[in-house]
């Protein structure tokens, strides 16, 4: 199994105090968000490959250096695939990105438009997308909502990424959290573009919304574009896997349509890395 969405960071070093306080809103109770390698690897035991990243977003108080992520990955290199983070509103962001890829050997990019406060269609992003497309680096975008009060929700709408995919048709993109709560908007974007995917991380704890997202994915025939992720440390692997496998529990004997076993196991067993990294030849 592959997990395309996990984090590493040290909250005390990489978040502002206001962001640490606000993060209690994420699950509705206080969370210790600092990621420790041993606990992380124990949680990831079920996965063969795990994509891990931090976040850079000055606007909302996140700044995880790429070197920190590279050091984390270097402690379990057979399992972990590190992504760089990039905040295009900041000077030097391109130089930092080139360094993250070429020197620290990170293999993709995490962008958080709502957190950093930029429109993903902004011309400032073109150099990032071009570099990623030319070098076979997938880009994972946070899409949908968040708890940070300073984040700009308008930049999390999944339809914004339609134009990016039209401009960069060979760029591998993941729209995180299936754009929640705008999941149907996300599904119609991934349906249009062969190399645009969505991950289902952090959705199981809103079971009604998750159920409807997966039913809509079946109806639009895009379940093959859904990738599994856990959003650790916000959610654990076992709870995420169980939440997906139990997605039909809420409908009981109501006669409502069911998410098929093929959809559920397809998400869990998908060879996400083969889809995200262009194959030679
Ligand atoms: Zn995340």
């Amino acid at each position: 199994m592959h997990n395309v969405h996990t984090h590493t960071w040290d909250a005390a070093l990489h978040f502002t105090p206001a962001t640490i306080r606000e993060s209690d809103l994420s699950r509705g109770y206080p969370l210790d968000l600092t990621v420790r390698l041993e606990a992380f690897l124990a949680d990831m035991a079920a996965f063969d490959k795990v994509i891990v990243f931090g976040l850079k977003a000055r606007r909302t108080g996140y700044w995880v250096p790429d070197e920190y992520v590279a050091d984390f990955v270097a402690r379990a290199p057979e399992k972990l695939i590190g992504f760089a983070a990039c905040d295009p509103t900041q000077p030097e962001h391109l130089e930092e990105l080139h360094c993250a890829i070429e020197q620290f050997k990170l293999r993709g990019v995490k962008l958080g438009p709502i957190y950093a406060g930029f429109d993903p269609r902004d011309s400032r992003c073109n150099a990032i997308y071009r570099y990623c497309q030319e070098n076979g680096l997938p880009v994972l975008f946070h899409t949908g909502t968040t708890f940070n009060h300073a984040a700009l929700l308008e930049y999390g709408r999944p339809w914004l990424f339609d134009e990016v995919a039209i401009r960069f048709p060979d760029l591998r993109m993941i729209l995180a959290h299936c754009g929640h709560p705008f999941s149907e908007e996300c599904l119609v974007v991934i349906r249009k573009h062969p190399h645009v995917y969505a991950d289902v991380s952090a959705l199981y704890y809103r079971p009604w919304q998750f159920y409807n997202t997966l039913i809509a994915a079946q109806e639009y025939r895009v379940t093959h574009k859904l990738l599994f992720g856990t959003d650790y440390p916000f959610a654990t692997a076992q709870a995420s896997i169980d939440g997906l496998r139990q997605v039909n529990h809420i409908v009981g004997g109501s006669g409502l349509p069911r998410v098929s076993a093929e959809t559920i196991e397809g998400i869990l067993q998908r060879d996400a890395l083969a889809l995200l990294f262009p194959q030679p030849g």
Side-chain angles (χ1 to χ4, degrees), residues 86 90-99 124 127-128 131:
C86 189
Q90 299 298 305
E92 313 291 319
H93 68 270
L94 263 189
E95 292 80 356
E96 281 182 32
L97 177 60
H98 293 166
C99 176
R124 283 178 294 189
I128 300 170
Y131 178 72

Side-chain angles (χ1 to χ4, degrees), residues 86 88 92-95 97-98 101-102 109 111 118 120-135 137 139 164 167-168 171:
C86 189
E92 313 291 319
H93 68 270
L94 263 189
E95 292 80 356
L97 177 60
H98 293 166
I101 303 301
E102 288 152 30
V109 181
L111 291 173
F118 66 92
R121 302 167 300 178
D122 191 306
S123 59
R124 283 178 294 189
C125 299
N126 283 339
I128 300 170
Y129 301 148
R130 198 174 305 113
Y131 178 72
C132 289
Q133 183 171 260
E134 285 172 2
N135 291 284
L137 307 167
V139 180
V164 177
R167 272 194 252 148
F168 296 91
L171 181 63

